[in-house]
Amino acid sequence: MTQAQIAAGTADDVGLVPRTGTNSGVTTADGTPLKVSLRRALRRQRLWAMLLVAPLLVFILVTFIVPVFNMALRGVENPQIHDIMPKTTAALGDWDGNGLPDEPVFAALVEDLKSGYKSKEIGKVATRLNYEVQGMRSAIMGSARQAARIKSGPYKDAMIDIDAVWGEPATWRVIKRESAPYTLSYLLAALDMGYDDDGSIVMQPESQRVYVPLFTRTLVMSATVTLFCILLGYPVAYLLANLPLRTSNLLMILVLLPFWTSLLVRTTTWIVLLQSQGVVNDLLVWLHLIDDEGRIQMIFNKTGTLVAMTHILLPFMILPLYSVMKTVPPSYMRAARSLGANPLVAFWRVYVPQTVNGIGAGSLLVFILSIGYFITPALVGGQSGQMISNMIAYHMQKSLNWGLAGALGVLLLALVLVLYSIYNKLIGIDKIKMG
Amino acid sequence: MSALPAYASTLDRIWHYGYRILCALIFVFLIGPILIIIPLSFNAEPYFTFTHEMLSFDPAGYSLRWYEDFLSNADWIAAIKNSFIVGIASTILATVLGTLAALGLSRPQMPFRGLIMSILISPMIVPLIISAAGMFFFYSSVNLAQTYLGVVLAHTALGIPFVVITVTATLSGFDHSLTRAASSLGASPSYSFFKVVLPLVTPGVISGALFAFITSFDEVVVVIFLSGVEQRTMPLQMWSGIREQISPTILAVATILVAMSVLLLTVLELLRRRNERLRGITG
């Protein structure tokens, strides 16, 4: 901004009356130098702008950013053993991890088990350790129940008597590792990794991997949806951009109406259409393309999710494509044709490169939206159409392994934020056109 | 593009019509599924497909029973009421806060514009399941889960990006010399705001508000996690309806919602035209 523009923008704020002072340069009516007045006015405007934004910023920080951050933190928080078994945690501090710990550690264990059993908190420790080693839940619960009867030492032998698991150094290594207030184990689990008996990080065996394949599936499905959206959206956007405005405005309604229709309605409608007793199957039977027994399973699987998601996200591809295509001058294509390019070459080498921006904007938008999809896969996805969001919901609501839900959330969030920053850099987030 | 020239070859003709047929099919894909539920919602039988009576246009094949079912069901009525309460409350909150912020953001003196903008837009970008889970934990810890206030605050946060984006977009085309002209003619800042700025940005504010309303009205993920029995909204009712046992009542509801979106689309289109007329763009 040049000095002149600033002056023009703030003249009314400073009450500018240019006149030549006796010793300094230009001053305002009350005698302050113009530079000072301008700076003051600028500061005041800046303050005003910040005051206008502040309420919303605070609102979003409190109602949204803090909760999301809190959720992400759950992916690394590990309070159970640290808080419920403080004595054991402290006693294990000096243990070097070789062989079995000494008697004081066992004494601390018995005390912690007793108090944990009394306060009924020990179940949380049992659940937490069960995530690390299968079967630890019953071992801890049983030990806690019986530890209440141990009156005096030596505790080491007594505990090993109760459950042989206490005689294994591996158990103690896990407890020591997970007694830290923060842990990597949820994040590792979310990447299908874990610790082996020696405490080094390894991949899970192929057959037990769940999350990496699910992430891959989510990415592949999102990419497929994006591709379908390009294939279906490009011709339509081209038509809309090249028709006379009156006609294209009319046809635009056909794009905008689905855009504005409830997501649940659009998902429902695909269930109605594609289910085995649905309209499409009925039509195929009626046309004798398939037998009544041979109805095609088109929904409650991956196909259903792909079709419904493409339908729902297609407007997000058409709208940015359309606005870019509107700016492409038609004369370039005609020039290419007149220079001897056949229509395909002219289209591919002259038209398409000018719409790459639109393809990029639409694709990123569709891809970002689809990797976080939850509702549609949950309703029409069946088993094979589930995505990572559905797994997060499962851990939130069914398995109640909130740490793992948090860790999966962190990974998904990281993925989305990376894509978002690319989008922001390439297109600018405030350039999203709506309606 | 609109018509074939006289010298078009056979190949040109095939391509021309083939392309149009392709586009027509894509339009059918876009709009067909939404239209097909409308006649199906008048089905006299509890099926999700056309019965013989319906196909032969026999009046006996059609009925309003699913609409009656919808209107006589206390759960659905309560859900509609909740949807409107939450939707209107969060729209007002989002519109007021979002418009103020957009006014600040569009001032050239605003510092950290990019950073603040991305924070304000983030509810639109973060996958809903993450927002919902985060809000569930946080709002539970401050006793806001399973309250109307909690759902309203959550929906406000989700609606805000739309208000901020539409209003800043309207303001980006705003000619600031108009306010200066008003000031130079003796208008006080507040007078020029209400008489000059506001009328020009109103279409943006209204379309932002409509976006915020529809966001709340259509939102289900956060409601699944945050709402108690009392705060069940229409999308949640639909969601559990579809998951548990889908009945054609859902189609009646869906038809009503489609009618609503047609209404909304019309309002937006009228606004867009008014905006263009005011800015002197005629189309």
Side-chain angles (χ1 to χ4, degrees):
Chain A
M1 195 185 264
T2 67
Q3 205 70 4
Q5 277 174 313
I6 295 173
T10 55
D12 48 305
D13 292 306
V14 292
L16 180 69
V17 179
R19 67 171 182 204
T20 322
T22 42
N23 43 13
S24 64
V26 188
T27 66
T28 52
D30 55 358
T32 32
L34 179 59
K35 246 188 191 158
V36 176
S37 276
L38 275 176
R39 205 176 304 131
R40 204 176 291 152
L42 213 61
R43 205 180 309 132
R44 198 161 59 221
Q45 291 215 339
R46 185 178 245 229
L47 199 70
W48 256 110
M50 292 200 305
L51 274 180
L52 284 171
V53 178
L56 184 60
L57 195 60
V58 171
F59 183 89
I60 288 284
L61 284 175
V62 172
T63 61
F64 187 78
I65 303 287
V66 170
V68 167
F69 192 73
N70 192 21
M71 158 87 180
L73 216 56
R74 266 175 204 270
V76 289
E77 275 178 348
N78 193 29
Q80 292 91 343
I81 297 172
H82 189 260
D83 292 354
I84 300 169
M85 302 181 79
K87 298 204 175 78
T88 316
T89 304
L92 275 174
D94 311 324
W95 182 52
D96 60 359
N98 292 323
L100 277 178
D102 299 329
E103 180 67 14
V105 174
F106 278 91
L109 173 72
V110 171
E111 266 186 77
D112 280 337
L113 284 177
K114 278 181 183 170
S115 64
Y117 186 68
K118 209 183 257 171
S119 65
K120 300 201 166 62
E121 295 267 280
I122 200 70
K124 292 182 187 168
V125 174
T127 309
R128 177 67 192 88
L129 282 172
N130 204 54
Y131 293 147
E132 303 299 321
V133 184
Q134 284 289 319
M136 273 305 267
R137 188 197 314 269
S138 54
I140 298 269
M141 292 312 283
S143 303
R145 208 162 31 243
Q146 295 181 45
R149 284 199 293 270
I150 301 177
K151 292 285 182 289
S152 61
Y155 296 107
K156 190 170 183 170
D157 298 333
M159 284 315 291
I160 296 174
D161 251 10
I162 290 173
D163 201 313
V165 87
W166 301 115
E168 287 167 27
T171 311
W172 288 101
R173 278 198 289 270
V174 170
I175 294 179
K176 184 178 164 72
R177 190 180 72 222
E178 298 307 334
S179 64
Y182 293 96
T183 179
L184 276 179
S185 59
Y186 292 123
L187 278 169
L188 290 175
L191 289 166
D192 283 335
M193 288 191 262
Y195 296 98
D196 62 6
D197 287 347
D198 303 329
S200 45
I201 296 169
V202 288
M203 276 305 279
Q204 300 278 12
E206 197 91 39
S207 58
Q208 286 174 30
R209 290 180 197 168
V210 180
Y211 303 110
V212 171
L214 192 60
F215 268 110
T216 318
R217 184 205 282 170
T218 305
L219 291 176
V220 169
M221 281 175 68
S222 303
T224 316
V225 168
T226 311
L227 187 72
F228 283 166
C229 283
I230 296 176
L231 290 178
L232 296 179
Y234 203 90
V236 167
Y238 182 77
L239 184 79
L240 289 173
N242 289 292
L243 281 176
L245 204 60
R246 194 171 291 273
T247 330
S248 75
N249 270 348
L250 222 58
L251 286 176
M252 197 52 132
I253 294 174
L254 301 184
V255 180
L256 290 178
L257 185 61
F259 184 70
W260 278 99
T261 303
S262 159
L263 182 79
L264 282 163
V265 169
R266 285 183 281 170
T267 307
T268 314
T269 195
W270 282 109
I271 299 178
V272 170
L273 280 174
L274 296 183
Q275 64 182 336
S276 52
Q277 297 298 324
V279 175
V280 172
N281 265 314
D282 274 3
L283 194 70
L284 292 175
V285 170
W286 182 71
L287 290 170
H288 294 290
L289 289 174
I290 54 172
D291 295 333
D292 201 22
E293 293 81 41
R295 286 170 179 266
I296 307 166
Q297 183 68 38
M298 286 179 283
I299 198 109
F300 307 125
N301 55 24
K302 207 184 248 180
T303 321
T305 310
L306 287 177
V307 172
M309 280 180 66
T310 305
H311 179 245
I312 290 165
L313 293 169
L314 189 49
F316 289 96
M317 179 65 82
I318 295 178
L319 294 176
L321 270 177
Y322 170 77
S323 61
V324 168
M325 285 177 178
K326 269 311 238 192
T327 65
V328 175
S331 52
Y332 288 6
M333 275 282 273
R334 288 205 289 272
R337 294 290 307 275
S338 80
L339 291 169
N342 75 40
L344 270 181
V345 172
F347 179 75
W348 184 246
R349 308 247 333 249
V350 176
Y351 193 82
V352 173
Q354 296 184 80
T355 59
V356 163
N357 277 344
I359 300 176
S363 304
L364 268 170
L365 198 58
V366 170
F367 195 79
I368 290 175
L369 290 173
S370 50
I371 52 175
Y373 245 59
F374 168 66
I375 295 293
T376 309
L379 288 179
V380 305
Q383 268 298 319
S384 64
Q386 299 292 303
M387 312 241 283
I388 201 71
S389 284
N390 304 97
M391 188 52 96
I392 296 177
Y394 168 77
H395 283 306
M396 284 292 299
Q397 296 180 306
K398 297 274 162 60
S399 82
L400 301 183
N401 187 348
W402 290 342
L404 189 51
L408 288 168
V410 168
L411 295 177
L412 177 61
L413 193 61
L415 202 62
V416 169
L417 289 183
V418 167
L419 289 166
Y420 170 51
S421 64
I422 296 175
Y423 184 92
N424 207 1
K425 229 181 203 121
L426 290 182
I427 299 123
I429 189 64
D430 39 355
K431 299 277 183 335
I432 292 181
K433 278 252 177 79
M434 289 177 301
Chain B
M1 177 85 217
S2 48
L4 272 174
Y7 51 81
S9 66
T10 323
L11 202 66
D12 280 347
R13 269 166 218 282
I14 294 174
W15 170 245
H16 180 85
Y17 291 110
Y19 172 64
R20 277 168 193 239
I21 291 169
L22 175 75
C23 284
L25 287 177
I26 299 171
F27 280 122
V28 168
F29 171 74
L30 268 171
I31 203 83
I34 293 169
L35 296 183
I36 209 148
I37 52 168
I38 297 172
L40 281 176
S41 70
F42 295 99
N43 200 337
E45 305 293 327
Y47 300 136
F48 292 99
T49 186
F50 292 98
T51 54
H52 287 291
E53 289 84 4
M54 290 183 94
L55 290 174
S56 54
F57 294 104
D58 181 356
Y62 295 85
S63 84
L64 288 171
R65 62 183 284 200
W66 306 117
Y67 289 86
E68 274 164 32
D69 190 40
F70 165 64
L71 290 173
S72 62
N73 187 328
D75 286 348
W76 278 111
I77 300 301
I80 295 186
K81 230 173 80 190
N82 280 336
S83 274
F84 274 102
I85 292 174
V86 171
I88 290 172
S90 59
T91 303
I92 292 173
L93 210 54
T95 311
V96 172
L97 289 173
T99 306
L100 286 181
L103 285 169
L105 281 169
S106 62
R107 292 194 171 205
Q109 296 85 3
M110 186 66 207
F112 312 115
R113 195 173 175 280
L115 177 71
I116 291 176
M117 197 71 178
S118 25
I119 292 176
L120 298 185
I121 303 289
S122 60
M124 195 171 88
I125 301 299
V126 173
L128 271 174
I129 188 75
I130 296 177
S131 318
M135 286 169 165
F136 167 70
F137 288 128
F138 186 74
Y139 288 23
S140 301
S141 68
V142 292
N143 291 327
L144 276 175
Q146 311 199 345
T147 64
Y148 280 101
L149 183 62
V151 180
V152 168
L153 290 179
H155 277 187
T156 306
L158 295 179
I160 273 167
F162 299 99
V163 178
V164 171
I165 288 179
T166 44
V167 180
T168 34
T170 318
L171 282 170
S172 73
F174 183 75
D175 184 357
H176 284 279
S177 56
L178 291 176
T179 46
R180 288 200 288 273
S183 303
S184 81
L185 291 169
S188 68
S190 66
Y191 189 82
S192 78
F193 174 76
F194 283 108
K195 287 288 171 183
V196 180
V197 181
L198 209 54
L200 281 167
V201 299
T202 303
V205 174
I206 296 180
S207 54
L210 285 179
F211 268 107
F213 180 75
I214 208 76
T215 306
S216 162
F217 204 73
D218 194 20
E219 205 289 324
V220 59
V221 188
V222 169
V223 178
I224 291 174
F225 282 87
L226 269 191
S227 85
V229 186
E230 271 176 51
Q231 292 87 29
R232 286 181 80 89
T233 59
M234 200 139 83
L236 184 57
Q237 189 74 18
M238 281 187 84
W239 159 264
S240 42
I242 299 170
R243 277 174 73 102
E244 280 145 28
Q245 162 207 31
I246 179 164
S247 105
T249 311
I250 300 235
L251 297 189
V253 179
T255 306
I256 294 172
L257 287 179
V258 171
M260 251 187 74
S261 40
V262 171
L263 194 74
L264 230 108
L265 191 62
T266 319
V267 174
L268 269 176
E269 177 64 19
L270 292 176
L271 277 175
R272 196 182 60 82
R273 290 198 183 158
R274 178 179 180 275
N275 197 16
E276 289 190 349
R277 205 174 53 240
L278 278 182
R279 289 184 184 190
I281 310 162
T282 46

